[in-house]
Amino acid sequence: MARAAPATARVLLAASFSGMVFGFLEDGHEFQESYGSSDGSQENDAFLLDEEEEAGDQEEEDKRFWEKQHQLLQATLYRTSSLETRIRSLTREAVKEIQRSETECGCRKPMASGCRSCLMREVSGRLSNAGYNSAMCKSKWRSSPDIPSGEHSFLDVVNNSSLKKGEVRVIIELNFRDEFEMARASNEYNDLVQKLPEVFVGKVERLQSLIKILCSAAKKCMKEKKMHMGPWRKQKYMQAKWLGPCKRTTSTPLLAVGDSARLRPKPKESMLTVDLLEMVHNRHCMTVVQVV
Ligand SMILES: *[C@@H]1O[C@H](CO)[C@@H](O)[C@H](O)[C@H]1NC(C)=O
Ligand SMILES: *[C@@H]1O[C@H](CO)[C@@H](O)[C@H](O)[C@H]1NC(C)=O
Ligand SMILES: [Zn+2]
């Protein structure tokens, strides 16, 4: 890397650099912070040389970042307990079977492609039939300065019969990959998302790690593309989807007992209060309040 650029090159670089600053400022405060101190022209020159030298380093650093994310992702997906493995294969089998049989739900839509909530209810029912404490979970959160309000539905299985491990909660998301896809993302980000399973089955800690990996990747990707990242892409928002307080509803499967099962008993609902801090220590389940 040349230390002293010829004067003409400097002028050119300075011109394109001021263009860059303009672009960054347009994109919002995240970029202003790191570039804000370079207004004086002499300072600007010094900064320019650093910038030039850093271009190569930056490329290296970016490459390392994406390699690291791939490694972290592989490691997180690769580790799995026997409970997760059993629930995973049951869940995937159930989804495949429902897709194969082109099952229609009560709403008269093809369950697998048209009706996410009926598909979830059916899968959850089958897990319950197999002896798991499975439920439909609905999370709902208010807007805050960081993130807009929202709600999300998914499944979980809770096993609290191990005295040693305490309660083990396994999250099931049938459209996991979809949740992280971004329309105008970079190849690096898309490659990472392609590694995700469409049907995610894993413990809370594992989901937390994946969210962290994917959200920092999304942030990096948008920064590289100089685009603003939607608040629903933030780690906090993703955490609110699956890891915030949620309402658990257990139900019996629609179809396992034949057509008469369409008249199902009223679902049992309970409130599962999840404390984010406690969850890190895997002791998140605080109260179960019967609502119905
Ligand atoms: C464990 O689960 C059972 C049913 O799944 C429930 O009745 C019981 O209250 C749970 N125990 C604790 C400590 O959460
Ligand atoms: C729940 O956990 C206990 C202890 O780890 C295990 O023996 C049992 O098989 C589990 N239950 C289910 C339904 O997987
Ligand atoms: Zn339906």
Side-chain angles (χ1 to χ4, degrees):
M1 194 82 29
R3 277 226 156 248
T8 47
R10 265 196 213 194
V11 171
L12 274 175
L13 275 167
S16 65
F17 176 67
S18 61
M20 259 166 67
V21 170
F22 189 64
F24 280 130
L25 293 181
E26 267 188 336
D27 274 319
H29 57 94
E30 274 173 40
F31 298 100
Q32 278 178 39
E33 281 169 32
S34 42
Y35 292 90
S37 65
S38 59
D39 337 274
S41 64
Q42 272 182 335
E43 244 179 81
N44 216 355
D45 260 356
F47 189 77
L48 181 63
L49 289 175
D50 282 351
E51 177 76 9
E52 203 183 346
E53 203 167 51
E54 272 165 13
D57 293 352
Q58 187 62 44
E59 226 168 83
E60 270 301 302
E61 199 189 304
D62 290 350
K63 214 173 135 219
R64 273 202 301 275
F65 173 87
W66 290 106
E67 273 167 11
K68 178 101 188 290
Q69 303 310 305
H70 273 282
Q71 281 164 7
L72 288 171
L73 190 78
Q74 290 300 103
T76 309
L77 291 173
Y78 187 74
R79 276 196 301 269
T80 184
S81 65
S82 65
L83 179 70
E84 288 167 290
T85 305
R86 274 182 283 137
I87 298 170
R88 192 175 299 126
S89 55
L90 265 172
T91 305
R92 290 185 180 162
E93 234 168 70
V95 171
K96 252 192 225 150
E97 199 187 296
I98 294 163
Q99 272 163 351
R100 231 194 343 258
S101 64
E102 291 170 16
T103 307
E104 270 194 15
C105 61
C107 331
R108 307 230 169 274
K109 281 189 260 178
M111 200 183 274
S113 58
C115 203
R116 189 176 134 89
S117 64
C118 288
L119 176 63
M120 285 198 296
R121 195 175 303 132
E122 177 67 19
V123 170
S124 176
R126 289 182 187 205
L127 288 169
S128 304
N129 279 359
Y132 294 97
N133 175 9
S134 168
M136 305 252 293
C137 300
K138 188 165 185 178
S139 58
K140 201 168 183 172
W141 59 97
R142 290 180 198 193
S143 63
S144 69
D146 297 315
I147 58 169
S149 64
E151 54 181 70
H152 189 68
S153 302
F154 56 97
L155 303 177
D156 77 356
V157 165
V158 176
N159 183 345
N160 61 13
S161 64
S162 165
L163 285 175
K164 204 173 70 199
K165 284 180 268 181
E167 189 195 80
V168 178
R169 184 163 176 242
V170 174
I171 307 285
I172 302 169
E173 172 57 62
L174 300 179
N175 306 99
F176 192 61
R177 203 187 301 130
D178 291 354
E179 295 290 328
F180 292 96
E181 268 165 3
M182 295 198 294
R184 287 184 293 160
S186 63
N187 293 337
E188 286 94 341
Y189 182 81
N190 289 338
D191 286 348
L192 204 62
V193 171
Q194 281 315 302
K195 293 244 163 74
L196 294 174
E198 183 56 21
V199 174
F200 171 81
V201 177
K203 286 193 276 193
V204 167
E205 312 89 273
R206 213 176 307 288
L207 180 57
Q208 237 169 353
S209 307
L210 288 179
I211 289 173
K212 207 168 155 191
I213 295 165
L214 269 300
C215 291
S216 66
K219 199 170 165 184
K220 176 86 172 170
C221 166
M222 297 314 257
K223 201 164 181 169
E224 281 175 6
K225 300 201 100 190
K226 300 189 180 73
M227 276 155 55
H228 191 77
M229 190 171 85
W232 60 90
R233 302 260 170 223
K234 283 187 181 171
Q235 190 172 331
K236 258 196 185 159
Y237 192 89
M238 291 292 181
Q239 282 176 335
K241 272 186 188 174
W242 293 291
L243 307 174
C246 69
K247 196 162 83 180
R248 289 186 94 227
T249 310
T250 51
S251 68
T252 47
L254 273 168
L255 304 152
V257 214
D259 260 356
S260 62
R262 279 174 194 276
L263 293 168
R264 279 166 302 115
K266 209 171 175 198
K268 267 193 316 200
E269 289 189 342
S270 61
M271 199 70 185
L272 179 68
T273 313
V274 181
D275 183 288
L276 267 176
L277 261 182
E278 279 213 348
M279 196 143 45
V280 175
H281 302 105
N282 197 22
R283 287 191 317 265
H284 64 280
C285 218
M286 293 171 67
T287 14
V288 177
V289 180
Q290 291 299 328
V291 174
V292 174

